[in-house]
Amino acid sequence: MNRCKNTGLNRSKPFLSSSQSQELRQKIDQQIDAQIDAWYASVPAADHLERREVNSEYYRRNLIETAWRIRLLRVAESKTLAEIAKRSPEAAQIWANYEMEEMLHDELFIQDLQRAGVSRETFLATEPYLSTKLLTGFFSYLLDHEGPLGVVAYSYLVEYVNVKLEPRKIEAMKHSIGDQKLVGQIAHSHTDINDDHPGEVWAALRLLIENEQDIAHLERYLQEHQRILAMYFEELAQDTLAQESKAA
């Protein structure tokens, strides 16, 4: 008996048909929409970057943390590729293409940081928030103990929210920050929308869902990721907006 396994060779018909996949995606999108509503209602300053007056420290620190998250998470996301390949070469190909387009986008945010007066040296000297470290550790936990589905679920959550909300946020920041300082963020958003990153990530997710239990796990992953992201925005608001209030 051949002991070699986890090669992705035993391809089988996807658990979800095309129509079932579309139905599930609509259900998941509705869940994320509800999470967005809860986000705006409960997370401190959730709409801050959409306001007419933007705190400059909040804006710059958010850029710093976004670049750090891309840098740190791409290590775990690269390891995710190997785990996906053991299960579905087709899903691995989709994920590899997605990562190829996203992996170096930290530079886009660093360039906008420089336009906002923050040097690369200052960025490198700024330690990531605890919430970012916890998110990175959660990815490692998932790969070691639960599999790649939860990592891919995070990307679907982020891409769906970005495509839905980022254009509105960028339009607001053009007035508060200036469009010449948003070149990197505009380019990032352009890639997400025009390359249909939510659809691309969903195509990989569909091939990783093998049973009804995986669907239940996907729903929970989306909730858990949002809780960790909320921790980040709480840290960000406390670190910048709360300090502004004390100074006033």
Side-chain angles (χ1 to χ4, degrees):
M1 183 176 180
N2 189 350
R3 293 179 299 163
C4 184
K5 51 187 177 181
N6 291 334
T7 61
L9 293 176
N10 298 321
R11 293 178 175 85
S12 58
K13 184 178 179 181
F15 174 71
L16 297 173
S17 67
S18 294
S19 60
Q20 289 172 325
S21 173
Q22 184 60 32
E23 289 175 5
L24 177 61
R25 185 177 178 184
Q26 291 175 353
K27 178 183 177 183
I28 292 299
D29 289 352
Q30 290 172 356
Q31 175 183 333
I32 297 175
D33 286 340
Q35 290 184 189
I36 291 173
D37 291 340
W39 177 275
Y40 277 114
S42 62
V43 176
D47 65 343
H48 183 73
L49 293 178
E50 299 173 29
R51 299 176 185 175
R52 182 172 296 276
E53 297 294 332
V54 171
N55 177 281
S56 58
E57 285 303 313
Y58 184 102
Y59 170 73
R60 289 193 288 261
R61 192 64 181 83
N62 183 58
L63 284 180
I64 289 173
E65 206 66 18
T66 300
W68 270 123
R69 288 201 304 272
I70 295 172
R71 285 192 165 197
L72 297 177
L73 294 179
R74 68 186 173 203
V75 176
E77 289 168 345
S78 297
K79 296 176 182 177
T80 302
L81 177 60
E83 295 303 315
I84 295 174
K86 295 174 185 177
R87 305 180 181 211
S88 169
E90 292 82 7
Q93 182 185 47
I94 296 168
W95 184 251
N97 184 69
Y98 167 71
E99 282 297 312
M100 178 190 70
E101 295 172 342
E102 282 282 341
M103 186 170 282
L104 300 181
H105 278 194
D106 57 314
E107 286 298 324
L108 296 177
F109 292 92
I110 292 171
Q111 289 164 16
D112 277 0
L113 266 173
Q114 292 172 325
R115 295 182 182 98
V118 179
S119 68
R120 184 178 295 268
E121 291 73 23
T122 299
F123 162 71
L124 292 172
T126 304
E127 186 168 339
Y129 282 145
L130 176 61
S131 54
T132 294
K133 297 176 183 179
L134 291 174
L135 181 60
T136 306
F138 188 41
F139 274 29
S140 294
Y141 162 80
L142 291 173
L143 292 178
D144 285 342
H145 303 291
E146 298 188 19
L149 182 64
V151 177
V152 180
Y154 173 84
S155 285
Y156 186 72
L157 172 65
V158 171
E159 295 297 343
Y160 178 87
V161 172
N162 282 353
V163 167
K164 183 165 188 172
L165 301 182
E166 202 69 13
R168 184 173 75 195
K169 188 184 301 181
I170 287 176
E171 193 60 33
M173 287 194 295
K174 285 180 180 179
H175 297 285
S176 61
I177 305 295
D179 55 357
Q180 295 303 312
K181 295 182 179 181
L182 305 173
V183 176
Q185 292 162 86
I186 292 172
H188 176 77
S189 180
H190 183 275
T191 300
D192 287 346
I193 295 170
N194 290 279
D195 291 352
D196 187 20
H197 278 182
E200 192 171 22
V201 176
W202 183 264
L205 269 177
R206 176 202 172 192
L207 296 174
L208 293 174
I209 294 173
E210 299 177 348
N211 48 52
E212 290 292 339
Q213 190 175 44
D214 283 343
I215 296 175
H217 291 334
L218 171 60
E219 294 170 350
R220 287 188 61 191
Y221 286 137
L222 296 173
Q223 295 168 359
E224 290 166 347
H225 288 315
Q226 176 154 327
R227 289 173 63 187
I228 297 177
L229 288 172
M231 290 173 59
Y232 159 61
F233 280 92
E234 289 167 2
E235 279 188 284
L236 177 62
Q238 181 64 33
D239 192 32
T240 57
L241 302 181
Q243 297 303 320
E244 180 186 54
S245 297
K246 289 181 181 178

